[in-house]
Coordinates of all heavy atoms in Angstrom, one line a residue:
V13 N 63.6 296.6 119.2 CA 62.7 295.4 119.6 C 63.5 294.3 120.0 O 63.1 293.4 120.8 CB 61.8 295.1 118.4 CG1 62.5 294.4 117.3 CG2 60.7 294.1 118.9
I14 N 64.8 294.2 119.5 CA 65.8 293.2 120.0 C 67.1 293.9 120.3 O 67.6 294.7 119.5 CB 66.0 292.1 118.9 CG1 64.7 291.3 118.7 CG2 67.1 291.1 119.3 CD1 64.8 290.3 117.6
K15 N 67.7 293.5 121.5 CA 69.0 294.1 121.8 C 69.8 293.0 122.3 O 69.5 292.3 123.3 CB 68.8 295.2 122.9 CG 70.1 295.9 123.1 CD 69.9 297.1 124.1 CE 71.2 297.9 124.4 NZ 71.1 299.0 125.2
V16 N 70.9 292.8 121.7 CA 71.9 291.7 122.0 C 73.1 292.4 122.5 O 73.7 293.2 121.8 CB 72.2 290.8 120.8 CG1 73.0 289.6 121.2 CG2 70.8 290.2 120.3
S17 N 73.7 291.9 123.6 CA 74.9 292.5 124.2 C 75.9 291.4 124.6 O 75.5 290.6 125.4 CB 74.6 293.3 125.4 OG 73.6 294.3 125.1
D18 N 77.1 291.4 123.9 CA 78.1 290.5 124.2 C 77.7 289.0 124.4 O 78.1 288.4 125.3 CB 78.8 290.9 125.6 CG 79.4 292.3 125.4 OD1 80.0 292.7 124.4 OD2 79.3 293.2 126.4
L19 N 76.9 288.6 123.4 CA 76.3 287.2 123.5 C 77.4 286.1 123.1 O 77.9 286.2 122.0 CB 75.1 287.2 122.6 CG 74.5 285.7 122.4 CD1 74.0 285.2 123.7 CD2 73.5 285.8 121.3
T20 N 77.6 285.2 124.0 CA 78.4 284.1 123.6 C 77.6 282.8 124.2 O 77.1 282.8 125.3 CB 79.8 284.2 124.4 OG1 80.6 285.3 123.9 CG2 80.6 282.9 124.1
Y21 N 77.6 281.9 123.2 CA 76.8 280.6 123.6 C 77.5 279.3 123.2 O 78.0 279.3 122.1 CB 75.4 280.6 122.9 CG 74.6 279.5 123.2 CD1 74.1 279.2 124.5 CD2 74.5 278.4 122.2 CE1 73.4 277.9 124.8 CE2 73.8 277.3 122.4 CZ 73.3 277.0 123.8 OH 72.6 275.9 124.0
T22 N 77.6 278.4 124.1 CA 78.2 277.1 123.9 C 77.2 276.0 124.1 O 76.6 276.0 125.3 CB 79.4 276.9 124.8 OG1 80.3 278.0 124.6 CG2 80.1 275.7 124.4
Y23 N 76.9 275.2 123.2 CA 76.0 273.9 123.4 C 76.6 273.1 124.4 O 77.8 273.0 124.6 CB 75.8 273.2 122.1 CG 74.8 273.9 121.2 CD1 75.3 274.6 120.0 CD2 73.4 273.8 121.3 CE1 74.4 275.2 119.2 CE2 72.5 274.4 120.5 CZ 73.0 275.1 119.3 OH 72.2 275.7 118.5
L24 N 75.6 272.3 125.1 CA 76.0 271.3 126.1 C 76.9 270.3 125.4 O 76.6 269.8 124.3 CB 74.8 270.6 126.7 CG 74.1 271.4 127.7 CD1 72.8 270.7 128.1 CD2 74.9 271.6 129.0
G25 N 78.0 269.9 125.9 CA 78.9 268.9 125.4 C 79.8 269.5 124.3 O 80.7 268.7 123.8
S26 N 79.8 270.7 124.0 CA 80.7 271.3 123.0 C 81.8 272.0 123.7 O 81.6 272.6 124.8 CB 79.9 272.3 122.1 OG 80.8 272.9 121.2
E27 N 83.0 271.9 123.1 CA 84.1 272.7 123.7 C 84.2 274.1 123.2 O 84.8 275.0 123.9 CB 85.4 271.9 123.4 CG 85.5 270.5 124.1 CD 86.8 269.7 123.7 OE1 87.6 270.4 123.0 OE2 87.0 268.6 124.2
K28 N 83.7 274.3 122.0 CA 83.9 275.6 121.4 C 82.5 276.4 121.3 O 81.5 275.7 121.0 CB 84.5 275.6 120.0 CG 85.9 275.0 120.0 CD 86.5 275.1 118.5 CE 85.7 274.5 117.5 NZ 86.3 274.6 116.1
P29 N 82.5 277.6 121.6 CA 81.3 278.4 121.5 C 80.7 278.5 120.0 O 81.6 278.6 119.1 CB 81.6 279.8 122.0 CG 83.0 279.9 121.8 CD 83.6 278.6 122.0
T30 N 79.4 278.4 119.8 CA 78.8 278.6 118.5 C 78.6 280.0 118.2 O 78.7 280.5 117.0 CB 77.5 277.8 118.4 OG1 77.7 276.4 118.7 CG2 76.8 277.9 117.1
L31 N 78.3 280.8 119.2 CA 78.2 282.3 119.1 C 79.3 283.0 119.8 O 79.5 282.5 121.0 CB 76.8 282.7 119.5 CG 75.6 282.1 118.8 CD1 74.3 282.6 119.4 CD2 75.7 282.3 117.3
K32 N 79.9 284.0 119.4 CA 81.1 284.7 120.0 C 80.8 286.2 120.1 O 80.9 286.8 119.1 CB 82.3 284.3 119.3 CG 82.5 282.8 119.0 CD 83.7 282.6 118.1 CE 83.8 281.1 117.7 NZ 84.9 281.0 116.6
E33 N 80.6 286.6 121.3 CA 80.6 288.1 121.6 C 79.8 288.9 120.6 O 80.3 289.9 120.0 CB 82.1 288.6 121.7 CG 82.8 287.8 122.8 CD 84.3 288.3 122.9 OE1 84.7 289.1 122.0 OE2 85.0 288.0 123.9
I34 N 78.6 288.5 120.4 CA 77.7 289.3 119.4 C 77.0 290.3 120.1 O 76.4 290.2 121.1 CB 76.7 288.3 118.7 CG1 77.4 287.3 117.9 CG2 75.7 289.0 118.0 CD1 76.4 286.2 117.3
S35 N 77.0 291.5 119.5 CA 76.2 292.6 120.0 C 75.5 293.2 118.8 O 76.0 293.3 117.7 CB 77.1 293.8 120.6 OG 77.7 293.3 121.8
L36 N 74.1 293.5 119.0 CA 73.3 293.8 117.8 C 72.0 294.5 118.4 O 71.5 294.1 119.4 CB 72.9 292.6 117.1 CG 71.9 292.7 115.9 CD1 72.5 293.4 114.8 CD2 71.4 291.3 115.5
V37 N 71.5 295.5 117.6 CA 70.2 296.1 117.9 C 69.4 296.0 116.6 O 69.9 296.4 115.6 CB 70.4 297.6 118.3 CG1 69.0 298.3 118.5 CG2 71.1 297.7 119.7
I38 N 68.2 295.5 116.8 CA 67.2 295.5 115.6 C 66.1 296.4 116.0 O 65.5 296.2 117.1 CB 66.8 294.0 115.4 CG1 68.0 293.2 114.8 CG2 65.7 294.1 114.3 CD1 67.6 291.7 114.6
E39 N 65.8 297.3 115.1 CA 64.7 298.3 115.4 C 63.4 297.7 115.0 O 63.2 296.9 114.2 CB 65.0 299.6 114.6 CG 66.3 300.3 114.9 CD 66.4 300.7 116.3 OE1 65.3 301.0 117.0 OE2 67.6 300.9 116.8
K40 N 62.3 298.2 115.6 CA 61.0 297.8 115.3 C 60.6 298.1 113.9 O 61.0 299.2 113.3 CB 60.0 298.5 116.3 CG 58.5 298.1 116.0 CD 57.6 298.8 117.0 CE 56.1 298.5 116.7 NZ 55.8 297.1 116.7
G41 N 60.1 297.1 113.1 CA 59.6 297.3 111.8 C 60.7 297.1 110.7 O 60.5 297.2 109.5
E42 N 61.9 296.7 111.2 CA 63.0 296.3 110.2 C 62.7 295.0 109.5 O 62.0 294.1 110.1 CB 64.3 296.2 110.9 CG 65.0 297.5 111.2 CD 66.5 297.3 111.5 OE1 66.8 297.1 112.6 OE2 67.3 297.5 110.5
F43 N 63.2 294.9 108.3 CA 63.2 293.6 107.5 C 64.6 293.2 107.3 O 65.3 293.7 106.5 CB 62.4 293.7 106.2 CG 62.2 292.3 105.5 CD1 60.9 292.1 105.0 CD2 63.1 291.4 105.3 CE1 60.6 290.9 104.4 CE2 62.9 290.2 104.7 CZ 61.6 290.0 104.2
V44 N 65.1 292.2 108.2 CA 66.4 291.9 108.3 C 66.6 290.4 107.6 O 65.9 289.6 107.9 CB 66.9 291.8 109.7 CG1 68.4 291.3 109.7 CG2 66.8 293.1 110.4
V45 N 67.5 290.4 106.6 CA 68.0 289.0 106.1 C 69.3 288.7 106.8 O 70.2 289.5 106.8 CB 68.1 289.2 104.5 CG1 68.9 287.9 104.1 CG2 66.8 289.3 103.9
L46 N 69.2 287.5 107.4 CA 70.4 287.0 108.1 C 70.9 285.9 107.2 O 70.3 284.9 106.9 CB 70.0 286.5 109.5 CG 71.0 285.8 110.3 CD1 72.1 286.8 110.7 CD2 70.5 285.3 111.6
T47 N 72.3 286.0 106.8 CA 72.8 285.0 105.9 C 74.3 284.7 106.3 O 74.9 285.4 107.2 CB 72.7 285.5 104.5 OG1 73.0 284.4 103.6 CG2 73.6 286.7 104.2
G48 N 74.9 283.8 105.6 CA 76.3 283.4 105.9 C 76.4 281.9 105.6 O 75.5 281.2 105.2
P49 N 77.7 281.4 105.6 CA 77.9 280.1 105.3 C 77.3 279.1 106.2 O 76.9 279.4 107.3 CB 79.5 280.0 105.4 CG 80.0 281.4 105.4 CD 78.9 282.2 106.0
S50 N 77.0 277.8 105.6 CA 76.3 276.8 106.5 C 77.3 276.6 107.7 O 78.5 276.5 107.6 CB 76.2 275.5 105.7 OG 75.4 275.7 104.7
G51 N 76.6 276.5 108.9 CA 77.3 276.2 110.2 C 77.9 277.5 110.8 O 78.6 277.3 111.8
C52 N 77.5 278.6 110.3 CA 78.2 279.9 110.9 C 77.4 280.3 112.2 O 77.9 281.2 112.9 CB 78.2 281.0 109.9 SG 76.5 281.7 109.5

């Protein structure tokens, strides 16, 4: 239901990307917990 390929994203005015080369597939009906340190 979601397919992410080589995602890199940088906010306007920022020099460093917030997201770096993310690839991910989420299947229909999954229950996904997304966690990690603050600011990740």
Side-chain angles (χ1 to χ4, degrees):
V13 69
I14 294 177
K15 186 174 183 180
V16 181
S17 305
D18 300 319
L19 174 65
T20 296
Y21 175 73
T22 307
Y23 282 103
L24 282 173
S26 177
E27 296 181 359
K28 297 192 302 182
T30 301
L31 304 176
K32 307 169 188 173
E33 299 180 350
I34 294 176
S35 293
L36 173 71
V37 174
I38 295 178
E39 303 293 339
K40 181 175 175 59
E42 282 197 273
F43 190 129
V44 177
V45 168
L46 180 61
T47 192
S50 296
C52 70

